[in-house]
Amino acid sequence: MEIIIQPNPQAATDIATRLIARLLKEKPDAVLGLATGSTPLRLYRSLIAMQLDWRRVRTFNLDEYLGLAPDHPQSYHHFMWENLFRHINILPENVQIPDGLAADVPGFCADYEARIRAAGGIDLQVLGIGSDGHIGFNEPTSSLASRTRIKTLTQRTREDNARFFACAEEVPTHVITMGIGTIMEARTNLLLAFGEHKAQAVAGAVEGAVSAMNPASALQFHRDTRLMLDEAAAGGLQRAEYYRWVYANKPKWQQV
Ligand code: F6R
């Protein structure tokens, strides 16, 4: 894992933006895995401002609420089109987001996995992290080998996400999410985390034991995972000084 600690969320986002821009230049038909929520909003704004060429880029989103139609204002379809896709030249047929209205959920999930494989796998997956350590919507105790499937949200996640809805009861109880096994197959994972409320989950993921109780800790087994943190999210890390030193002293060829 590479732990990059920056003074604020924008500085951390700028590094993630540069990495993605570089990938799209080197590989114009790259396959990106995308996340929703508050964390990647700055990233999407920065990518839009760069006016990159997205015509050949393919994207797969991590998750979607079950029961919400694509045009529901709180659906992740709506989120992605509002906050990224409608501002860039991506082709709608190259955008994949789990279908919250899928009639046959297991069949849809198996097909989603097949579509990721057919696209050649995910080159770079953007991740946020829940205050309970979830990645995608893989809540604590999710199998570390899980694939795309239905999951039940914890009460804590529903409360965390209630800010987007009129009240906590309106937050759907079920979702379709890529599994931890699916995320582990992405060639690169970029996990962004900002704010004190993420500090405990981040510390567990980086310095704790690998455990399904903190699903992000599975990334310790991933070959190329980079965490971009602000100071507050890094607040629980015991080895923060070491990570800062490593980043400040990277050989030139490794710098982004
Ligand atoms: C969203 C997702 C979730 C979020 C996480 C953090 O597609 O997969 O894992 O990344 O819940 O959400 P925010 O960024 O709103 O704190």
Side-chain angles (χ1 to χ4, degrees):
M1 280 177 160
E2 181 178 12
I3 318 300
I4 302 175
I5 304 171
Q6 292 292 295
N8 54 59
Q10 189 58 52
T13 296
D14 289 345
I15 297 170
T17 308
R18 287 202 294 276
L19 275 168
I20 295 176
R22 192 173 71 185
L23 172 66
L24 298 199
K25 282 188 183 126
E26 284 170 7
K27 190 174 179 191
D29 62 346
V31 179
L32 292 183
L34 298 175
T36 57
S38 306
T39 307
L41 282 172
R42 283 183 196 82
L43 174 67
Y44 297 155
R45 275 199 293 272
S46 304
L47 288 170
I48 293 165
M50 288 188 89
Q51 298 190 312
L52 301 163
D53 187 2
W54 293 76
R55 266 173 311 176
R56 296 173 59 205
V57 176
R58 279 110 7 112
T59 65
F60 286 88
N61 262 77
L62 282 167
D63 39 26
E64 178 59 288
Y65 290 115
L66 268 173
L68 299 194
D71 60 354
H72 188 287
Q74 265 68 48
S75 75
Y76 286 163
H77 273 82
H78 189 261
F79 175 100
M80 287 309 302
W81 281 98
E82 279 307 301
N83 292 298
L84 180 63
F85 298 145
R86 78 182 178 88
H87 307 282
I88 58 177
N89 67 343
I90 198 160
L91 302 180
E93 59 268 34
N94 288 343
V95 168
Q96 309 276 347
I97 306 175
D99 179 3
L101 297 183
D104 166 14
V105 172
F108 176 84
C109 294
D111 186 57
Y112 202 68
E113 290 276 335
R115 280 187 268 163
I116 294 173
R117 274 196 304 279
I122 291 172
D123 291 304
L124 184 149
Q125 175 68 56
V126 175
L127 296 170
I129 183 170
S131 62
D132 60 4
H134 69 230
I135 47 175
F137 271 136
N138 296 284
E139 296 283 31
T141 72
S142 287
S143 158
L144 301 186
S146 50
R147 312 300 310 191
T148 303
R149 70 209 182 295
I150 186 172
K151 277 300 288 183
T152 308
L153 296 179
T154 60
Q155 192 52 28
R156 178 169 175 183
T157 297
R158 292 182 68 226
E159 280 161 18
D160 282 352
N161 288 3
R163 65 189 190 281
F164 300 111
F165 292 80
C167 59
E169 289 68 49
E170 272 192 20
V171 182
T173 50
H174 291 81
V175 294
I176 290 179
T177 180
M178 278 186 206
I180 298 175
T182 322
I183 293 168
M184 294 293 282
E185 282 172 12
R187 286 185 266 283
T188 296
N189 277 304
L190 278 193
L191 189 152
L192 301 165
F194 310 133
E196 207 181 302
H197 59 302
K198 300 292 174 73
Q200 199 184 348
V202 166
V206 176
E207 295 176 345
V210 174
S211 163
M213 286 304 284
N214 181 329
S217 66
L219 295 168
Q220 292 177 28
F221 279 117
H222 189 268
R223 279 192 295 185
D224 184 15
T225 287
R226 300 162 195 211
L227 276 77
M228 322 259 152
L229 311 173
D230 68 351
E231 287 289 350
L237 293 169
Q238 289 175 25
R239 301 191 173 230
E241 280 317 311
Y242 172 66
Y243 310 137
R244 283 197 188 90
W245 195 91
V246 170
Y247 188 67
N249 291 280
K250 264 168 157 326
K252 234 188 166 40
W253 59 268
Q254 269 194 336
Q255 291 171 11
V256 196

